[in-house]
Amino acid sequence: MGRPRTPLLDRERITTTALQLVAEQGDFSVPQIARRLGAQTGSVYHHVDGRGGVVELMRERVCDAIDGGTLDVEPWDRAMAAWARSYRAAFAAHPRVIPLLMTTPVRAPKVLAQYERAVRLLRGAGFANPDVMTVIIALENLVLGSALDLAAPETMWELPDDTSTPELARALSAVGAGRAEAAFDLALTAFLTHCRTLLPKAPAPD
């Protein structure tokens, strides 16, 4: 028999299959990937460094959708806002992969390179070195929480009636369309406002 024109296994197919499994069931295993691709489990290990290698492939795939050019925008706060929005959109497309990626160390070189650019942006803006990673991690917490919020039901509070929690009922009735967007805008604005207070004060004019 001739060799198949399309290889049964490669890193792209492994990544796509892992993301499909996570979207369906919230997790994956290497044997599951192999079965879905009609291959032996050992064959998958010829392409990836175990489960951790698959997680990093998924991280690369998701982060490829983040527009790195946002970090070239000026000034720094506009750059961080644009990066946050692109970051959020990329992860909102794969919400069930977020717990996997956020509980394993980042090793993918392409992803580390994007963090390097973010660090350089903040250092260039004048942030003290001890504050830089705090700012980045806080932004990630905001972004990933909002990405999960986008995947949540529009109605997250189901009240049996309006009498036991009347204030909550009134507040919920006032929520319009775009609840998740409004909450993200509020949190991002507050975050950037606080970050500006971390920068050294400009000297007073003589």
Side-chain angles (χ1 to χ4, degrees), residues 76 121-132 135 195-196 198-200:
W76 70 269
L121 171 70
L122 294 176
R123 291 292 292 133
F127 283 87
N129 208 42
D131 292 331
V132 169
V135 168
C195 286
R196 293 183 191 103
L198 301 177
L199 290 170

Side-chain angles (χ1 to χ4, degrees), residues 105-193:
V106 181
R107 293 185 288 132
K110 289 169 62 177
V111 179
L112 291 171
Q114 193 161 142
Y115 280 101
E116 175 74 6
R117 292 182 65 186
V119 169
R120 288 180 180 176
L121 171 70
L122 294 176
R123 291 292 292 133
F127 283 87
N129 208 42
D131 292 331
V132 169
M133 289 311 299
T134 302
V135 168
I136 291 174
I137 293 168
L139 181 65
E140 284 192 323
N141 291 344
L142 188 163
V143 164
L144 296 175
S146 183
L148 288 171
D149 188 31
L150 287 173
E154 186 63 27
T155 303
M156 283 296 296
W157 296 265
E158 295 184 354
L159 310 184
D161 55 59
D162 292 346
T163 58
S164 58
T165 53
E167 293 302 326
L168 177 58
R170 276 191 285 273
L172 289 173
S173 68
V175 175
R179 169 189 61 79
E181 292 298 329
F184 178 66
D185 288 342
L186 173 63
L188 183 59
T189 299
F191 167 79
L192 291 172
T193 297

